[in-house]
Amino acid sequence: MSKKRILYVEDDETLAFLTADNLEQHFDVTHCANGKEAFQLFCKESFDLCVLDIMLPDMDGFEMATEIRKRNQEIPIIFLSAKTMKDDRIKGLKLGADDYLVKPYSIEELILKIEIFLNRSQKSTDNSTQKQYTFGSFQFEPENYLLKNESQNITLTEREASLLKLFLDNPNTVLKREKILMELWGSDDYFLGRSLDVFISRLRKIIKEETHVRIENIPRVGFKLVVE
């Protein structure tokens, strides 16, 4: 079986050499030291996952992730950064990243994270999924990230679509925060929990006019999509 292709973007020469050397034992790794050049390569070639530093020349990791998400909502993105502020981590996750590892990071953890997200992507591709859900006045097409009713068509992010699908697969059922985080990110990290709250708020805003559908907060436990 051919190895999965990883686009690894890091401008620190020593760190890049050590990380790429370890990753190449498991994956087909393409390394770039420049954000703009890496994005141009992304547009030309096919990759299974992106590992991005944030502080990059010409185009930083945040900018690159934004542009990647405009073209591909599904490819997993992992940020590697020396930026430790929680606002930076939340920003990265809100841009559509799947995880954010702070330098210095463990190579073993990075490899584990990559394998988790690649396996998740493969399952998403392999499993037959329901083409459309109907709830309240909305129709939801998970494969197209499209939520629509008579008055609007809304394109969700990949993470929002996955969250809504998880709720619709488990209507009127309490979903623990830990379960949601593990299903969507493969981790129940505190900062991912903050990002989850943002996505919950976004979905609530979208369906707020629905009188028979709501997302309830179950204190200290999780959430429940109530469909009456």
Side-chain angles (χ1 to χ4, degrees), residues 25 29 43-44 58 66 97 107 117 131 167 201 209 216:
Q25 298 178 40
V29 180
C43 294
K44 295 177 183 177
D58 295 334
T66 299
I107 290 293
F117 295 126
K131 298 296 182 181
F167 277 132
S201 296
E209 302 301 327
E216 289 187 351

Side-chain angles (χ1 to χ4, degrees), residues 175-187:
L175 296 179
K176 293 184 178 181
R177 292 181 67 93
E178 295 82 359
K179 173 181 173 60
I180 298 174
L181 292 170
M182 292 301 296
E183 287 279 348
L184 269 62
W185 281 285
S187 171

Side-chain angles (χ1 to χ4, degrees), residues 66-119:
T66 299
E67 294 303 315
I68 287 173
R69 281 289 173 251
K70 290 179 182 178
R71 291 160 176 79
N72 188 322
Q73 288 283 338
E74 298 180 5
I75 187 169
I77 297 174
I78 298 176
F79 278 128
L80 305 177
S81 179
K83 297 167 74 72
T84 60
M85 296 294 291
K86 67 178 182 180
D87 289 344
D88 291 317
R89 298 189 68 179
I90 292 172
K91 178 180 179 180
L93 295 169
K94 289 173 69 175
L95 286 175
D98 295 85
D99 213 333
Y100 187 118
L101 298 184
V102 176
K103 299 177 183 178
Y105 50 83
S106 159
I107 290 293
E108 290 78 10
E109 181 181 10
L110 174 58
I111 291 172
L112 177 60
K113 295 285 187 180
I114 291 174
E115 290 175 341
I116 286 172
F117 295 126
L118 288 175
N119 288 337

